[in-house]
Amino acid sequence: AKDTANVPLTGIGRTGAGASILPNFTVGENAVVGAVSVVTHDVESNTIVAGNLVQMVRRICNSASVK
């Protein structure tokens, strides 16, 4: 990812190739940012986001919390 100076990536978050995370935004634990996406707000944990001005695609189910 580019433009990631001073951007907290928590947990095992992943970013696709060419993703831009603007300063002062956080990518939550276990979140996925799609390739060539532009993050303009905080990304919640356990979500998949994508797009130019990202939008949530779906939530990721954490199998450890499913009973």
Side-chain angles (χ1 to χ4, degrees):
K2 53 187 170 182
D3 301 332
T4 56
N6 301 318
V7 175
L9 294 173
T10 60
I12 308 173
R14 292 177 172 79
T15 57
S20 295
I21 303 169
L22 299 182
N24 302 317
F25 296 108
T26 301
V27 175
E29 183 176 338
N30 199 36
V32 178
V33 178
V36 196
S37 296
V38 179
V39 176
T40 58
H41 55 80
D42 290 337
V43 176
E44 294 180 30
S45 295
N46 300 311
T47 57
I48 300 171
V49 297
N52 187 347
L53 304 183
V54 294
Q55 295 183 352
M56 184 172 62
V57 174
R58 70 180 304 170
R59 293 197 184 279
I60 299 170
C61 180
N62 182 350
S63 61
S65 66
V66 176
K67 296 181 180 183

